[in-house]
Amino acid sequence: MQLVVARIGRAHGIKGEVTVEVRTDEPELRLAPGAVLATDPASAGPLTIETGRVHSGRLLLRFEGVRDRNAAEALRNTLLIAEVDPAELPEDPEEFYDHQLIDLDVVLADGTEIGRIAEITHLPSQDLLIVERPDGGEVMIPFVEEIVTEIDLEEQRAVIAPPPGLIDETEAVIASSRDEDAADGSRKDGTGADGTRASGSGEDA
């Protein structure tokens, strides 16, 4: 099975290095020196990684045969593709390959259907699950433990606990209105929504 593990960015320096947008949770394995990667477009590769290093938080790679800035810049936007055994699993049981997550049903804890995972987007800060709704729309779910509470590969589902407004924007409006009403109550009579007196509004101690 072929998986996209990175996208080549702009050239860095004058000796053939390139920045890369990492699209794998295991860059130390997939993007290590000596790795041979297919490319999209195919005419750009295959490419063999010669060196790799991190600079200012970004991974820099140099490929065999790419020796100057012009050659590096010619590779810009090329996708790097690794051959992965479909049966292979990440070492960490809490991690998953993209192909394991694609097409999983996304549901709430009570079984309410939200949609299916159509794509995974890897951002510098976090990963996003792109979920296709039954009505054809899309919703982006941050792939963090607080929101994606369970991945069940046997049942082929992902269970989520979304905050208000993530799935249904009207929920955010209702929550916001409720917060504003509570705040207004505190300002009007010096008491909070639960009947307690707001700090600083009572009599002197």
Side-chain angles (χ1 to χ4, degrees):
M1 173 179 288
Q2 290 190 321
L3 296 178
V4 174
V5 294
R7 182 180 68 84
I8 297 176
R10 64 174 183 264
H12 179 85
I14 61 173
K15 297 183 178 180
E17 283 187 311
V18 295
T19 62
V20 294
E21 173 191 314
V22 177
R23 297 189 180 181
T24 172
D25 290 331
E26 298 177 310
E28 69 285 350
L29 173 64
R30 306 299 176 195
L31 300 173
V36 180
L37 302 169
T39 60
D40 182 6
S43 58
L47 294 173
T48 300
I49 297 175
E50 185 172 280
T51 63
R53 65 188 179 98
V54 176
H55 175 74
S56 299
R58 183 177 287 272
L59 180 61
L60 303 179
L61 297 179
R62 180 185 287 117
F63 302 102
E64 291 183 3
V66 179
R67 290 288 176 254
D68 58 44
R69 186 178 183 86
N70 289 339
E73 191 63 33
L75 295 173
R76 191 166 185 169
N77 293 324
T78 296
L79 297 179
L80 299 177
I81 303 169
E83 190 69 38
V84 178
D85 184 342
E88 182 181 338
L89 298 176
E91 293 182 2
D92 187 337
E94 297 300 317
E95 293 183 353
F96 304 88
Y97 291 137
D98 287 7
H99 71 271
Q100 294 176 288
L101 302 173
I102 296 296
D103 287 333
L104 291 188
D105 292 326
V106 178
V107 299
L108 301 181
D110 64 4
T112 301
E113 180 185 1
I114 300 301
R116 54 173 286 278
I117 299 175
E119 182 183 346
I120 293 87
T121 298
H122 300 279
L123 302 178
S125 58
Q126 65 184 12
D127 295 338
L128 292 175
L129 305 180
I130 309 303
V131 178
E132 186 177 289
R133 303 298 303 275
D135 62 7
E138 286 186 347
V139 61
M140 293 183 291
I141 307 292
F143 194 17
V144 295
E145 187 176 359
E146 294 80 6
I147 297 177
V148 183
T149 59
E150 180 185 359
I151 296 291
D152 189 332
L153 295 180
E154 289 188 6
E155 295 294 330
Q156 286 290 286
R157 69 175 189 172
V159 180
I160 64 171
L166 183 62
I167 302 300
D168 186 349
E169 293 183 358
T170 59
E171 294 178 353
V173 174
I174 293 171
S176 177
S177 298
R178 190 179 301 124
D179 292 341
E180 289 176 2
D181 290 343
D184 288 342
S186 295
R187 287 193 294 268
K188 289 176 182 177
D189 62 7
T191 59
D194 59 357
T196 57
R197 187 168 295 279
S199 174
S201 62
E203 298 177 359
D204 293 339

mmCIF file with all atom_site columns, all heavy atoms in Angstrom, residues 165-179:
data_model
loop_
_atom_site.group_PDB
_atom_site.id
_atom_site.type_symbol
_atom_site.label_atom_id
_atom_site.label_alt_id
_atom_site.label_comp_id
_atom_site.label_asym_id
_atom_site.label_entity_id
_atom_site.label_seq_id
_atom_site.pdbx_PDB_ins_code
_atom_site.Cartn_x
_atom_site.Cartn_y
_atom_site.Cartn_z
_atom_site.occupancy
_atom_site.B_iso_or_equiv
_atom_site.pdbx_formal_charge
_atom_site.auth_seq_id
_atom_site.auth_comp_id
_atom_site.auth_asym_id
_atom_site.auth_atom_id
_atom_site.pdbx_PDB_model_num
ATOM 1   N N   . GLY A 1 165 ? -21.009 23.599 19.199 1.00 0.00 ? 165 GLY A N   1
ATOM 2   C CA  . GLY A 1 165 ? -20.679 24.374 18.015 1.00 0.00 ? 165 GLY A CA  1
ATOM 3   C C   . GLY A 1 165 ? -19.765 23.688 17.021 1.00 0.00 ? 165 GLY A C   1
ATOM 4   O O   . GLY A 1 165 ? -19.646 24.135 15.884 1.00 0.00 ? 165 GLY A O   1
ATOM 5   N N   . LEU A 1 166 ? -19.102 22.608 17.435 1.00 0.00 ? 166 LEU A N   1
ATOM 6   C CA  . LEU A 1 166 ? -18.191 21.939 16.501 1.00 0.00 ? 166 LEU A CA  1
ATOM 7   C C   . LEU A 1 166 ? -18.964 21.230 15.391 1.00 0.00 ? 166 LEU A C   1
ATOM 8   O O   . LEU A 1 166 ? -18.598 21.314 14.219 1.00 0.00 ? 166 LEU A O   1
ATOM 9   C CB  . LEU A 1 166 ? -17.307 20.932 17.237 1.00 0.00 ? 166 LEU A CB  1
ATOM 10  C CG  . LEU A 1 166 ? -16.265 20.207 16.373 1.00 0.00 ? 166 LEU A CG  1
ATOM 11  C CD1 . LEU A 1 166 ? -15.287 21.194 15.766 1.00 0.00 ? 166 LEU A CD1 1
ATOM 12  C CD2 . LEU A 1 166 ? -15.522 19.164 17.191 1.00 0.00 ? 166 LEU A CD2 1
ATOM 13  N N   . ILE A 1 167 ? -20.034 20.550 15.778 1.00 0.00 ? 167 ILE A N   1
ATOM 14  C CA  . ILE A 1 167 ? -20.844 19.828 14.793 1.00 0.00 ? 167 ILE A CA  1
ATOM 15  C C   . ILE A 1 167 ? -22.017 20.681 14.324 1.00 0.00 ? 167 ILE A C   1
ATOM 16  O O   . ILE A 1 167 ? -22.313 20.771 13.136 1.00 0.00 ? 167 ILE A O   1
ATOM 17  C CB  . ILE A 1 167 ? -21.384 18.505 15.392 1.00 0.00 ? 167 ILE A CB  1
ATOM 18  C CG1 . ILE A 1 167 ? -20.221 17.627 15.869 1.00 0.00 ? 167 ILE A CG1 1
ATOM 19  C CG2 . ILE A 1 167 ? -22.227 17.764 14.374 1.00 0.00 ? 167 ILE A CG2 1
ATOM 20  C CD1 . ILE A 1 167 ? -19.260 17.239 14.778 1.00 0.00 ? 167 ILE A CD1 1
ATOM 21  N N   . ASP A 1 168 ? -22.696 21.336 15.271 1.00 0.00 ? 168 ASP A N   1
ATOM 22  C CA  . ASP A 1 168 ? -23.881 22.141 14.969 1.00 0.00 ? 168 ASP A CA  1
ATOM 23  C C   . ASP A 1 168 ? -23.642 23.554 15.467 1.00 0.00 ? 168 ASP A C   1
ATOM 24  O O   . ASP A 1 168 ? -23.571 23.799 16.669 1.00 0.00 ? 168 ASP A O   1
ATOM 25  C CB  . ASP A 1 168 ? -25.113 21.537 15.647 1.00 0.00 ? 168 ASP A CB  1
ATOM 26  C CG  . ASP A 1 168 ? -26.402 22.248 15.252 1.00 0.00 ? 168 ASP A CG  1
ATOM 27  O OD1 . ASP A 1 168 ? -26.317 23.331 14.633 1.00 0.00 ? 168 ASP A OD1 1
ATOM 28  O OD2 . ASP A 1 168 ? -27.480 21.730 15.566 1.00 0.00 ? 168 ASP A OD2 1
ATOM 29  N N   . GLU A 1 169 ? -23.531 24.519 14.537 1.00 0.00 ? 169 GLU A N   1
ATOM 30  C CA  . GLU A 1 169 ? -23.220 25.890 14.918 1.00 0.00 ? 169 GLU A CA  1
ATOM 31  C C   . GLU A 1 169 ? -24.302 26.495 15.805 1.00 0.00 ? 169 GLU A C   1
ATOM 32  O O   . GLU A 1 169 ? -24.040 27.391 16.599 1.00 0.00 ? 169 GLU A O   1
ATOM 33  C CB  . GLU A 1 169 ? -23.030 26.757 13.675 1.00 0.00 ? 169 GLU A CB  1
ATOM 34  C CG  . GLU A 1 169 ? -21.791 26.388 12.867 1.00 0.00 ? 169 GLU A CG  1
ATOM 35  C CD  . GLU A 1 169 ? -21.584 27.294 11.679 1.00 0.00 ? 169 GLU A CD  1
ATOM 36  O OE1 . GLU A 1 169 ? -22.441 28.178 11.469 1.00 0.00 ? 169 GLU A OE1 1
ATOM 37  O OE2 . GLU A 1 169 ? -20.582 27.131 10.969 1.00 0.00 ? 169 GLU A OE2 1
ATOM 38  N N   . THR A 1 170 ? -25.532 26.026 15.690 1.00 0.00 ? 170 THR A N   1
ATOM 39  C CA  . THR A 1 170 ? -26.602 26.583 16.514 1.00 0.00 ? 170 THR A CA  1
ATOM 40  C C   . THR A 1 170 ? -26.353 26.293 17.985 1.00 0.00 ? 170 THR A C   1
ATOM 41  O O   . THR A 1 170 ? -26.775 27.052 18.854 1.00 0.00 ? 170 THR A O   1
ATOM 42  C CB  . THR A 1 170 ? -27.973 26.009 16.111 1.00 0.00 ? 170 THR A CB  1
ATOM 43  O OG1 . THR A 1 170 ? -27.949 24.578 16.262 1.00 0.00 ? 170 THR A OG1 1
ATOM 44  C CG2 . THR A 1 170 ? -28.291 26.350 14.673 1.00 0.00 ? 170 THR A CG2 1
ATOM 45  N N   . GLU A 1 171 ? -25.651 25.194 18.284 1.00 0.00 ? 171 GLU A N   1
ATOM 46  C CA  . GLU A 1 171 ? -25.335 24.878 19.668 1.00 0.00 ? 171 GLU A CA  1
ATOM 47  C C   . GLU A 1 171 ? -24.437 25.953 20.270 1.00 0.00 ? 171 GLU A C   1
ATOM 48  O O   . GLU A 1 171 ? -24.576 26.333 21.425 1.00 0.00 ? 171 GLU A O   1
ATOM 49  C CB  . GLU A 1 171 ? -24.646 23.520 19.765 1.00 0.00 ? 171 GLU A CB  1
ATOM 50  C CG  . GLU A 1 171 ? -25.525 22.341 19.380 1.00 0.00 ? 171 GLU A CG  1
ATOM 51  C CD  . GLU A 1 171 ? -24.772 21.030 19.457 1.00 0.00 ? 171 GLU A CD  1
ATOM 52  O OE1 . GLU A 1 171 ? -23.541 21.077 19.682 1.00 0.00 ? 171 GLU A OE1 1
ATOM 53  O OE2 . GLU A 1 171 ? -25.393 19.976 19.308 1.00 0.00 ? 171 GLU A OE2 1
ATOM 54  N N   . ALA A 1 172 ? -23.502 26.460 19.463 1.00 0.00 ? 172 ALA A N   1
ATOM 55  C CA  . ALA A 1 172 ? -22.604 27.500 19.944 1.00 0.00 ? 172 ALA A CA  1
ATOM 56  C C   . ALA A 1 172 ? -23.383 28.780 20.230 1.00 0.00 ? 172 ALA A C   1
ATOM 57  O O   . ALA A 1 172 ? -23.114 29.496 21.196 1.00 0.00 ? 172 ALA A O   1
ATOM 58  C CB  . ALA A 1 172 ? -21.498 27.761 18.927 1.00 0.00 ? 172 ALA A CB  1
ATOM 59  N N   . VAL A 1 173 ? -24.359 29.102 19.377 1.00 0.00 ? 173 VAL A N   1
ATOM 60  C CA  . VAL A 1 173 ? -25.166 30.305 19.569 1.00 0.00 ? 173 VAL A CA  1
ATOM 61  C C   . VAL A 1 173 ? -25.964 30.202 20.856 1.00 0.00 ? 173 VAL A C   1
ATOM 62  O O   . VAL A 1 173 ? -26.029 31.138 21.656 1.00 0.00 ? 173 VAL A O   1
ATOM 63  C CB  . VAL A 1 173 ? -26.109 30.518 18.368 1.00 0.00 ? 173 VAL A CB  1
ATOM 64  C CG1 . VAL A 1 173 ? -27.048 31.684 18.639 1.00 0.00 ? 173 VAL A CG1 1
ATOM 65  C CG2 . VAL A 1 173 ? -25.305 30.759 17.103 1.00 0.00 ? 173 VAL A CG2 1
ATOM 66  N N   . ILE A 1 174 ? -26.578 29.046 21.088 1.00 0.00 ? 174 ILE A N   1
ATOM 67  C CA  . ILE A 1 174 ? -27.372 28.839 22.300 1.00 0.00 ? 174 ILE A CA  1
ATOM 68  C C   . ILE A 1 174 ? -26.494 28.946 23.536 1.00 0.00 ? 174 ILE A C   1
ATOM 69  O O   . ILE A 1 174 ? -26.829 29.603 24.507 1.00 0.00 ? 174 ILE A O   1
ATOM 70  C CB  . ILE A 1 174 ? -28.071 27.462 22.266 1.00 0.00 ? 174 ILE A CB  1
ATOM 71  C CG1 . ILE A 1 174 ? -29.120 27.446 21.150 1.00 0.00 ? 174 ILE A CG1 1
ATOM 72  C CG2 . ILE A 1 174 ? -28.723 27.150 23.592 1.00 0.00 ? 174 ILE A CG2 1
ATOM 73  C CD1 . ILE A 1 174 ? -29.722 26.080 20.889 1.00 0.00 ? 174 ILE A CD1 1
ATOM 74  N N   . ALA A 1 175 ? -25.327 28.301 23.499 1.00 0.00 ? 175 ALA A N   1
ATOM 75  C CA  . ALA A 1 175 ? -24.420 28.347 24.633 1.00 0.00 ? 175 ALA A CA  1
ATOM 76  C C   . ALA A 1 175 ? -23.955 29.767 24.895 1.00 0.00 ? 175 ALA A C   1
ATOM 77  O O   . ALA A 1 175 ? -23.858 30.213 26.034 1.00 0.00 ? 175 ALA A O   1
ATOM 78  C CB  . ALA A 1 175 ? -23.222 27.429 24.393 1.00 0.00 ? 175 ALA A CB  1
ATOM 79  N N   . SER A 1 176 ? -23.669 30.503 23.812 1.00 0.00 ? 176 SER A N   1
ATOM 80  C CA  . SER A 1 176 ? -23.215 31.878 23.956 1.00 0.00 ? 176 SER A CA  1
ATOM 81  C C   . SER A 1 176 ? -24.300 32.746 24.572 1.00 0.00 ? 176 SER A C   1
ATOM 82  O O   . SER A 1 176 ? -24.040 33.567 25.447 1.00 0.00 ? 176 SER A O   1
ATOM 83  C CB  . SER A 1 176 ? -22.804 32.429 22.586 1.00 0.00 ? 176 SER A CB  1
ATOM 84  O OG  . SER A 1 176 ? -22.427 33.781 22.687 1.00 0.00 ? 176 SER A OG  1
ATOM 85  N N   . SER A 1 177 ? -25.537 32.563 24.136 1.00 0.00 ? 177 SER A N   1
ATOM 86  C CA  . SER A 1 177 ? -26.643 33.341 24.678 1.00 0.00 ? 177 SER A CA  1
ATOM 87  C C   . SER A 1 177 ? -26.833 33.040 26.155 1.00 0.00 ? 177 SER A C   1
ATOM 88  O O   . SER A 1 177 ? -27.089 33.935 26.962 1.00 0.00 ? 177 SER A O   1
ATOM 89  C CB  . SER A 1 177 ? -27.934 33.032 23.908 1.00 0.00 ? 177 SER A CB  1
ATOM 90  O OG  . SER A 1 177 ? -27.805 33.387 22.548 1.00 0.00 ? 177 SER A OG  1
ATOM 91  N N   . ARG A 1 178 ? -26.691 31.783 26.508 1.00 0.00 ? 178 ARG A N   1
ATOM 92  C CA  . ARG A 1 178 ? -26.852 31.383 27.895 1.00 0.00 ? 178 ARG A CA  1
ATOM 93  C C   . ARG A 1 178 ? -25.779 32.037 28.763 1.00 0.00 ? 178 ARG A C   1
ATOM 94  O O   . ARG A 1 178 ? -26.052 32.523 29.863 1.00 0.00 ? 178 ARG A O   1
ATOM 95  C CB  . ARG A 1 178 ? -26.775 29.852 28.005 1.00 0.00 ? 178 ARG A CB  1
ATOM 96  C CG  . ARG A 1 178 ? -27.159 29.316 29.370 1.00 0.00 ? 178 ARG A CG  1
ATOM 97  C CD  . ARG A 1 178 ? -27.067 27.800 29.385 1.00 0.00 ? 178 ARG A CD  1
ATOM 98  N NE  . ARG A 1 178 ? -27.930 27.182 28.390 1.00 0.00 ? 178 ARG A NE  1
ATOM 99  C CZ  . ARG A 1 178 ? -27.524 26.347 27.455 1.00 0.00 ? 178 ARG A CZ  1
ATOM 100 N NH1 . ARG A 1 178 ? -26.252 26.042 27.361 1.00 0.00 ? 178 ARG A NH1 1
ATOM 101 N NH2 . ARG A 1 178 ? -28.380 25.814 26.609 1.00 0.00 ? 178 ARG A NH2 1
ATOM 102 N N   . ASP A 1 179 ? -24.557 32.083 28.246 1.00 0.00 ? 179 ASP A N   1
ATOM 103 C CA  . ASP A 1 179 ? -23.476 32.712 28.991 1.00 0.00 ? 179 ASP A CA  1
ATOM 104 C C   . ASP A 1 179 ? -23.725 34.197 29.174 1.00 0.00 ? 179 ASP A C   1
ATOM 105 O O   . ASP A 1 179 ? -23.463 34.772 30.230 1.00 0.00 ? 179 ASP A O   1
ATOM 106 C CB  . ASP A 1 179 ? -22.134 32.497 28.274 1.00 0.00 ? 179 ASP A CB  1
ATOM 107 C CG  . ASP A 1 179 ? -21.709 31.035 28.306 1.00 0.00 ? 179 ASP A CG  1
ATOM 108 O OD1 . ASP A 1 179 ? -22.241 30.296 29.153 1.00 0.00 ? 179 ASP A OD1 1
ATOM 109 O OD2 . ASP A 1 179 ? -20.860 30.657 27.491 1.00 0.00 ? 179 ASP A OD2 1
#
